[in-house]
Every structure is written in C-alpha cells, then in structure tokens.
C-alpha cells in the first residue's frame, strides 16, 4: 500500500479518535462493517466463521455494539434458537460519519 494511502488512513483514524466517538476495536469495527456492507441475514455462527473466531468472541463484540446501539439481536421467528444480527439507524449513522471522514482525508490527499 502506498505511503499516501496509509497517511490518509492514519489521518482518518486520528480524526475518528478525536471525535469522541466510542473507541471500537478492530474486531468490533470488522463485525460492524460486515453486518452493514454484506448481504444478510447475519448470524453469530456465520459472523464467527467469516472472522475466524469463536462464537463467544462474536457474542462479546455484539454485547458492546448492542450497548452502543449500533447493532441489535433478533430471534428468528422460524427457528427460535437462531439469533440474527440486525442493523440500527444509530449504527448506520456512525458508519456514514466514519465513511465521510475517510472521504475527507482522501480529498485532502
């Protein structure tokens, strides 16, 4: 990756840290992005497979993201044992703002 791209990413991350938004881990951010960008429905098991981690790891990340209001759990009406991970307006707004900060740093180049 070019130094310019890394510098843009660094500036976007610094801007994010300065914004006062919750400090998400890479795992939490990856989980959030997968849930919003890739087609669902998303399950704990499926997300664990995608990230190559255990289901309890996903559950802990979902606990944090859920408490922030960025994702929520929903029971599958057809199979009550299944839990789907659902998007929220607050999570969409968070990712929209994060994406805009990346775009801003790209424009500054």
């Amino acid at each position: 990756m070019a130094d310019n791209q890394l510098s843009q990413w660094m500036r976007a991350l610094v801007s994010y840290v300065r914004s006062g938004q919750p400090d998400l881990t890479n795992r939490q951010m990856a989980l959030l992005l997968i849930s919003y960008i890739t087609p669902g429905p998303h399950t704990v098991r499926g997300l664990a497979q995608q990230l190559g981690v255990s289901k309890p790891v996903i559950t802990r990340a979902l606990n944090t993201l859920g408490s922030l209001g960025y994702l929520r759990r929903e029971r599958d009406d057809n199979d009550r044992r299944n839990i789907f991970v659902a998007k929220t307006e607050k999570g969409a707004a968070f990712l929209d703002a994060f994406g805009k900060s990346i775009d801003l740093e790209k424009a500054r180049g």
Side-chain angles (χ1 to χ4, degrees):
M1 184 176 273
D3 285 343
N4 188 39
Q5 290 174 318
L6 288 174
S7 293
Q8 290 169 1
W9 186 245
M10 178 200 66
R11 289 192 304 272
L13 287 175
V14 167
S15 174
Y16 167 65
V17 169
R18 289 180 178 164
S19 75
Q21 293 288 330
D23 192 13
L24 301 181
T25 65
N26 287 329
R27 183 176 292 142
Q28 291 163 348
M29 184 62 92
L31 180 59
L32 193 60
L33 289 167
I34 288 169
S35 298
Y36 278 83
I37 294 173
T38 64
H42 298 287
T43 63
V44 171
R45 177 179 295 186
L47 291 166
Q49 287 175 336
Q50 278 190 280
L51 290 175
V53 298
S54 67
K55 290 189 296 184
V57 167
I58 295 298
T59 298
R60 284 191 299 275
L62 284 175
N63 288 343
T64 299
L65 294 169
S67 70
L68 293 169
Y70 293 168
L71 290 172
R72 71 176 184 278
R73 293 174 174 95
E74 293 180 348
R75 285 232 180 254
D76 180 355
D77 290 334
N78 297 322
D79 183 347
R80 304 292 291 166
R81 295 171 296 174
N82 281 336
I83 303 291
F84 293 127
V85 176
K87 303 172 191 178
T88 66
E89 288 184 29
K90 189 172 181 181
F94 169 79
L95 285 178
D96 184 58
F98 188 76
K100 286 178 181 174
S101 71
I102 293 171
D103 289 341
L104 179 63
E105 292 308 326
K106 282 183 185 176
R108 290 181 181 165

